[in-house]
C-alpha cells in the first residue's frame, strides 16, 4: 500500500489576512496617542476569528485599520497588513476601493445606511457598481438578499427608507449589503448587536453557510461570548489596545490563561441563573485584574406594593401605518404594527417586552412617548393622558417619562458636545444653572462609568458602548418616574452591561423608578424583570411574572425564543442546529381588515397566554399555534 505524501499534508495554509505588529495612533492635542499597540494575528481561509473585549479596547479600530477607513490626517497606521499576500497600506486609494466590497467587506456596528436613499437604491447601487449587474438583475438580486436575511415582504421593503425600519431590520439590510458581492473576507463589527435571539441565531447560521459555499473567512467582532462560542474557530481577546490572549475557542473557554479573559467569561449573563427566585437581582461584578468577583451582588429589588396604583397604564392600544401605492399614491393597506395591547407598570416595577425585531416592541415604546400616533386605545401616566383622547402636552410629561433609544448615535446630536447634551434638559426645565449645572453633568457621567472630563468631547469621539452610556445618563437627568429603555444595554460589552444593569437597579431602589425594558437579551431580561410580556406580530402572546414565564412558558413562541439563546459553551454548538428559519408573517393587512379580539387564558395567578383559538396567533411554518396544556 502506498504511503500518504506527508510532505503535501504538512504544507502550511497561506492566511487570507495577516497582520504583523499593527500600531494605530490618533492625533490629539498632545501629539500621537496609540490606541492599538503591536498587534499581530492571522486568519486562514474559511476560518472565523472572534475578536472580543470591552468597548474602547481597540476592536473596531483594528477592523477600520485593516479596511483602510481611518482618516490619514488624524490616524497613523504602522506595521504590516497583508491580504492574500498584498500589502494593503501600500495600495493607492483607487486600488483599495477595488478591494472593498468585492474582496473584503465590513458590516458596521450601527448599520451605516444613508438616510436620504431608500433601501432598494442602496442595495442595487452596490450590486451595479461592484458586480456590474443591470438595473433589472440588481433589483432581483436585492430582493433575494433581503429574503436571505429574513426581512418580511422583501420586495415592498425596497422602497422603504432606513428610518421606516426597526433597528434590527436596518442591521439586516446592512448585512445583506456586505454579503452582496460574496467577499473572501467578511469583517463583522458587532453584526448581531441589534438583533433578537432568533434572528441572531439565523444570521450566525447564514454566515456559516456562506463560509462553506464561498470559502469565506470571517473576522467577527463582538461582546457576546455566547455568539463567540457558537461561531468562532479561534478567539483573540483585547484589552486597552493590547492583545492579551489568543487561541482555539474551545481552549480559551475551557482554560483561560489571563485574568481579564476569566473576568469576561465570568461576566456572561446565563439563562436559567435566576431559577427559583421571584425578584430581580443585580450581577456580581468581576475584577479584571484578578478575574475574581469584586463583591457579592447587592440586595434584590423589592416587589412593588400590591395596593399601589399603576404608574403607567396601557389599555387596548393599536398603532397602524398606512401603506400607499398605485398611480395616485392612495392608501392600499395598513401595517398593523401594534394590535390591542394592554398592560400596567407599578411604581418601582420593571416590565420587560421581548420578541423578534418587527414584533411591535419599539412601536409600543414610541406610542407611550407620543412619537407614534395611537389609532385606538389610551395610555395614561398617573393622572395625565400620555396618548389618546385628551392627551396632555409633552412638556407636562417630560419630568415623568423619559426614553433611552435603541441607536445612541442617531439620538445624540453630533454637533453638540456631550456636556451640552446632558445640560440641555436641565437648563430647559430650570433644574440647575451655572456651577450646579456643571457639577450635575459630571455626576451623571460618573454614574454611567465615564469621566467628567469627557463632557468636552463630541459623540463621534466615543465608542458605541460609551455613546449608549451617555444616552442613559441623559434619560436620567430629570429624575423621571418611568424610563422606557429600548435596547438600552444592547451595545455594551458583558462587563459594562452588568455595571449598567446594576446602576439601573440601584436607581430603581433609591427612587422607586419604574422601567419598561425592551431587549432581545433573554438572560438580561431574566435578571432585571419583575414581569415579562412576549410580543409577536403586534400582539402580546404571553405576559406574567418573570419566574412563571421563564420557568413555565405557556406559548410555543416563548419557548422558541428561549431555545434560540446562544449558549456560552463551544462544546454545545450542535444543540442549536435546526432552528426555524421561516419568515415572520407580514403585519400588512388590506383596507377594512378587522382583527379578531385578543382573548387571554390565565395559566396561574397573573400569568396569561393568548387564547389558542385566536386567529392572530403565529401560523407560519415552524411557529406552531398550539399552547402547552396547563
Amino acid at each position: 500500500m502506498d504511503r500518504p505524501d506527508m510532505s503535501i499534508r504538512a504544507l502550511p495554509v497561506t492566511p487570507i489576512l495577516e497582520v504583523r505588529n499593527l500600531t494605530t495612533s490618533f492625533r490629539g492635542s498632545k501629539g500621537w496617542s496609540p490606541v492599538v499597540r503591536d498587534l499581530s494575528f492571522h486568519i486562514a481561509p474559511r476560518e472565523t476569528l472572534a475578536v472580543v473585549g470591552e468597548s474602547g479596547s481597540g476592536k473596531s479600530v483594528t477592523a477600520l485599520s485593516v479596511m483602510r477607513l481611518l482618516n490619514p490626517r488624524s490616524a497613523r497606521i504602522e506595521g504590516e497588513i497583508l491580504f492574500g499576500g498584498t500589502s494593503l497600506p501600500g495600495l493607492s486609494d483607487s486600488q483599495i476601493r477595488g478591494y472593498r466590497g468585492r474582496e473584503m467587506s465590513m458590516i458596521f456596528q450601527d448599520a451605516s445606511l444613508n438616510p436620504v436613499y431608500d433601501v432598494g437604491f442602496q442595495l442595487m447601487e452596490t450590486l451595479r457598481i461592484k458586480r456590474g449587474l443591470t438595473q433589472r438583475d440588481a433589483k432581483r438580486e436585492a430582493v433575494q438578499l433581503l429574503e436571505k436575511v429574513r426581512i418580511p415582504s422583501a420586495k415592498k421593503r425596497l422602497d422603504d427608507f432606513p428610518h421606516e425600519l426597526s433597528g434590527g431590520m436596518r442591521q439586516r439590510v446592512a448585512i445583506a449589503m456586505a454579503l452582496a458581492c460574496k467577499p473572501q473576507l467578511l469583517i463583522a463589527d458587532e453584526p448581531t448587536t441589534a438583533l433578537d435571539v432568533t434572528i441572531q441565531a439565523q444570521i450566525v447560521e447564514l454566515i456559516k453557510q456562506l463560509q462553506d459555499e464561498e470559502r469565506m473567512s470571517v473576522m467577527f467582532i463582538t461582546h457576546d461570548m455566547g455568539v463567540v462560542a457558537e461561531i468562532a474557530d479561534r478567539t483573540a481577546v483585547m484589552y486597552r489596545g493590547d492583545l492579551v490572549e489568543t487561541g482555539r475557542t474551545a481552549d480559551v473557554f475551557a482554560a483561560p490563561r489571563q485574568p481579564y479573559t476569566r473576568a469576561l467569561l465570568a461576566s456572561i449573563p446565563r439563562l436559567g441563573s435566576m431559577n427559583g427566585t421571584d425578584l430581580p437581582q443585580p450581577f456580581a461584578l468581576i475584577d479584571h485584574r484578578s478575574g475574581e468577583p469584586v463583591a457579592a451582588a447587592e440586595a434584590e429589588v423589592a416587589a412593588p406594593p400590591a395596593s399601589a396604583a399603576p404608574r403607567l397604564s396601557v389599555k387596548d392600544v393599536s398603532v397602524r401605518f398606512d401603506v400607499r401605492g398605485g398611480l395616485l399614491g392612495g392608501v392600499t393597506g395598513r401595517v398593523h404594527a401594534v394590535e390591542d395591547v394592554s398592560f400596567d407598570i407599578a411604581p418601582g416595577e420593571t416590565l420587560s417586552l421581548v420578541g423578534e425585531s418587527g414584533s411591535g416592541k419599539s412601536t409600543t415604546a414610541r406610542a407611550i412617548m407620543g412619537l407614534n400616533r395611537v389609532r385606538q386605545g389610551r395610555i395614561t401616566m398617573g393622572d395625565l393622558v400620555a396618548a389618546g383622547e385628551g392627551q396632555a402636552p409633552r412638556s407636562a410629561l417630560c419630568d415623568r417619562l423619559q426614553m433611552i433609544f435603541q441607536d445612541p448615535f442617531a439620538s445624540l446630536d453630533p454637533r453638540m458636545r456631550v456636556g451640552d447634551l446632558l445640560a440641555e434638559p436641565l437648563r430647559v426645565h430650570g433644574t440647575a444653572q451655572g456651577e450646579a449645572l456643571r457639577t450635575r453633568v459630571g455626576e451623571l457621567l460618573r454614574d454611567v462609568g465615564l469621566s467628567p472630563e469627557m463632557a468636552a468631547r463630541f459623540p463621534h469621539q466615543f465608542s458605541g458602548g460609551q455613546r449608549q452610556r451617555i444616552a442613559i445618563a441623559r434619560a436620567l437627568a430629570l429624575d423621571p418616574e418611568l424610563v422606557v429603555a429600548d435596547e438600552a444595554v444592547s451595545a455594551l460589552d458583558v462587563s459594562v452591561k452588568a455595571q449598567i444593569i446594576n446602576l439601573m437597579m440601584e436607581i430603581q431602589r433609591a427612587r422607586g423608578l419604574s422601567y419598561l425594558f425592551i431587549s432581545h437579551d433573554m438572560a438580561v431580561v431574566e435578571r432585571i424583570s419583575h414581569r415579562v410580556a412576549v410580543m409577536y406580530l403586534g400582539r402580546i402572546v404571553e405576559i406574567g411574572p418573570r419566574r412563571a414565564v421563564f420557568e413555565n412558558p405557556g406559548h410555543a413562541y416563548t419557548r422558541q425564543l428561549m431555545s434560540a439563546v446562544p449558549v456560552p459553551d463551544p462544546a454545545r454548538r450542535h444543540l442549536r442546529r435546526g432552528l426555524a428559519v421561516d419568515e415572520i408573517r407580514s403585519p400588512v393587512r388590506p383596507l377594512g381588515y378587522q382583527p379578531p379580539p385578543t382573548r387571554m387564558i390565565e395559566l396561574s395567578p397573573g400569568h396569561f397566554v393568548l387564547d389558542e383559538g385566536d386567529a392572530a396567533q403565529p401560523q407560519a411554518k415552524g411557529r406552531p399555534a398550539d399552547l402547552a396544556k396547563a
Side-chain angles (χ1 to χ4, degrees):
M1 183 175 66
D2 295 336
R3 297 180 63 185
D5 188 347
M6 300 303 294
S7 62
I8 295 177
R9 187 172 295 181
L11 285 174
V13 177
T14 302
I16 189 71
L17 177 70
E18 189 170 7
V19 176
R20 302 173 186 166
N21 309 116
L22 173 66
T23 297
T24 302
S25 305
F26 287 94
R27 187 196 299 273
S29 58
K30 299 181 181 179
W32 293 98
S33 299
V35 295
V36 172
R37 291 177 291 273
D38 200 24
L39 187 66
S40 297
F41 64 88
H42 68 275
I43 305 176
R46 301 181 65 179
E47 182 182 47
T48 298
L49 174 70
V51 181
V52 300
E54 291 184 296
S55 296
S57 63
K59 308 185 303 295
S60 296
V61 171
T62 300
L64 294 172
S65 299
V66 171
M67 292 291 292
R68 282 226 357 226
L69 291 174
L70 296 174
N71 188 339
R73 296 191 185 95
S74 58
R76 183 174 65 192
I77 299 174
E78 301 170 281
E80 289 186 273
I81 303 173
L82 302 175
F83 181 84
T86 302
S87 175
L88 297 183
L91 298 179
S92 65
D93 289 344
S94 60
Q95 288 173 323
I96 195 64
R97 282 196 295 270
Y99 273 80
R100 295 190 198 118
R102 286 185 297 189
E103 303 296 333
M104 55 182 184
S105 189
M106 186 168 178
I107 305 169
F108 294 91
Q109 183 174 352
D110 53 1
S112 300
L113 300 176
N114 193 322
V116 301
Y117 294 112
D118 59 50
V119 166
F121 176 86
Q122 296 183 62
L123 271 171
M124 289 187 288
E125 182 184 40
T126 301
L127 294 166
R128 287 188 291 104
I129 293 176
K130 296 294 183 180
R131 291 175 54 181
L133 299 184
T134 64
Q135 183 78 6
R136 177 179 297 179
D137 291 341
K139 184 173 183 178
R140 186 185 304 113
E141 182 72 13
V143 173
Q144 292 176 359
L145 285 167
L146 292 183
E147 290 174 343
K148 186 173 286 189
V149 295
R150 285 189 71 243
I151 290 197
S153 306
K155 190 172 183 180
K156 295 180 180 178
R157 290 293 189 180
L158 290 179
D159 297 326
D160 286 353
F161 287 85
H163 73 273
E164 297 178 287
L165 303 177
S166 68
M169 287 189 179
R170 287 197 297 270
Q171 191 71 314
R172 279 184 270 172
V173 172
I175 291 170
M177 291 177 64
L179 300 178
C181 298
K182 302 179 181 179
Q184 295 183 53
L185 173 66
L186 177 67
I187 300 177
D189 187 0
E190 302 281 7
T192 59
T193 292
L195 304 182
D196 55 80
V197 288
T198 53
I199 305 299
Q200 180 186 71
Q202 289 149 18
I203 292 299
V204 167
E205 288 298 321
L206 172 63
I207 292 175
K208 289 180 183 178
Q209 291 171 11
L210 288 170
Q211 277 186 283
D212 293 337
E213 295 171 5
E214 308 296 333
R215 298 182 60 86
M216 183 175 67
S217 301
V218 177
M219 179 179 171
F220 203 98
I221 297 172
T222 184
H223 61 255
D224 191 329
M225 299 300 284
V227 173
V228 171
E230 188 72 27
I231 195 172
D233 300 306
R234 289 188 302 115
T235 298
V237 182
M238 293 188 68
Y239 180 59
R240 295 185 178 178
D242 296 316
L243 182 64
V244 297
E245 184 166 353
T246 185
R248 292 178 59 249
T249 299
D251 296 337
V252 170
F253 274 72
R257 297 189 302 271
Q258 297 296 321
Y260 179 67
T261 309
R262 293 196 294 272
L264 279 181
L265 293 172
S267 300
I268 301 172
R270 297 174 186 268
L271 190 64
S273 64
M274 295 287 288
N275 285 353
T277 62
D278 293 310
L279 299 176
Q281 186 173 356
F283 292 98
L285 301 181
I286 309 299
D287 183 4
H288 290 164
R289 289 171 295 182
S290 65
E292 301 296 330
V294 176
E298 299 178 40
E300 59 191 12
V301 178
S307 59
R311 180 164 282 170
L312 176 75
S313 182
V314 177
K315 184 66 174 175
D316 303 326
V317 166
S318 295
V319 179
R320 299 168 191 169
F321 303 103
D322 292 341
V323 177
R324 298 183 179 274
L327 293 175
L328 301 178
V331 177
T332 59
R334 288 190 174 92
V335 178
H336 289 241
V338 174
E339 199 62 62
D340 202 14
V341 165
S342 299
F343 58 81
D344 293 332
I345 302 179
E349 182 182 41
T350 298
L351 173 69
S352 291
L353 273 183
V354 300
E356 289 180 284
S357 180
S359 64
K361 307 186 305 298
S362 293
T363 303
T364 301
R366 293 173 67 85
I368 291 170
M369 297 299 300
L371 300 175
N372 283 333
R373 187 172 67 87
V374 173
R375 183 63 62 103
Q376 65 184 41
R378 186 180 176 94
I379 301 172
T380 56
M381 184 75 186
D383 57 344
L384 296 178
V385 178
E389 187 177 350
Q391 181 174 334
R394 296 310 305 170
S395 58
L397 291 164
C398 285
D399 59 349
R400 294 192 185 190
L401 186 62
Q402 287 291 321
M403 184 171 182
I404 305 167
F405 291 91
Q406 183 173 354
D407 185 350
F409 192 69
S411 63
L412 299 175
D413 192 329
R415 301 167 298 178
M416 296 178 66
R417 298 182 188 274
V418 164
D420 295 329
L421 286 169
L422 297 180
E424 184 177 37
L426 299 169
R427 187 182 298 111
V428 169
H429 289 269
T431 304
Q433 300 291 335
E435 186 61 31
L437 183 64
R438 287 188 290 273
T439 301
R440 178 60 178 151
V441 167
E443 291 173 351
L444 288 169
L445 288 170
R446 276 193 293 266
D447 284 345
V448 294
L450 299 176
S451 168
E453 288 74 24
M454 294 180 176
R457 299 185 189 177
F458 290 93
H460 74 271
Q461 295 176 295
F462 292 87
S463 67
Q466 289 171 327
R467 287 197 293 265
Q468 191 69 293
R469 282 182 264 177
I470 294 167
I472 292 171
R474 185 177 60 175
L476 298 175
L478 295 176
D479 296 327
E481 296 177 3
L482 185 141
V483 170
V484 178
D486 188 1
E487 301 285 5
V489 296
S490 64
L492 305 181
D493 54 78
V494 287
S495 58
V496 177
K497 182 182 297 185
Q499 295 169 20
I500 294 299
I501 292 297
N502 287 2
L503 170 66
M504 292 175 70
M505 290 186 182
E506 180 182 344
I507 295 169
Q508 187 174 41
R509 281 193 301 269
R511 309 179 189 177
L513 187 65
S514 301
Y515 292 114
L516 176 62
F517 190 82
I518 298 172
S519 179
H520 62 261
D521 192 329
M522 300 295 282
V524 170
V525 167
E526 184 185 32
R527 176 70 63 162
I528 197 174
S529 308
H530 291 92
R531 290 189 302 131
V532 175
V534 182
M535 291 192 71
Y536 176 76
L537 205 63
R539 290 183 184 254
I540 291 179
V541 298
E542 184 163 1
I543 185 170
R546 186 268 309 156
R547 182 177 178 181
V549 172
F550 273 74
E551 296 183 22
N552 185 31
H555 198 277
Y557 180 63
T558 307
R559 295 193 292 274
Q560 180 179 321
L561 282 179
M562 294 182 182
S563 67
V565 175
V567 180
D569 183 358
R572 301 182 63 187
R573 288 184 182 183
H574 65 283
L575 296 181
R576 291 212 305 162
R577 300 288 181 180
L579 287 171
V581 295
D582 54 287
E583 182 182 281
I584 302 173
R585 291 172 59 204
S586 173
V588 178
R589 299 286 182 265
L591 289 177
Y593 172 79
Q594 292 297 323
T598 300
R599 296 184 295 271
M600 307 295 283
I601 300 173
E602 188 171 17
L603 297 184
S604 61
H607 183 194
F608 297 87
V609 294
L610 193 66
D611 187 347
E612 61 181 337
D614 196 312
Q617 283 202 62
Q619 298 290 342
K621 180 181 177 183
R623 300 180 184 276
D626 60 294
L627 297 171
K629 301 302 180 183

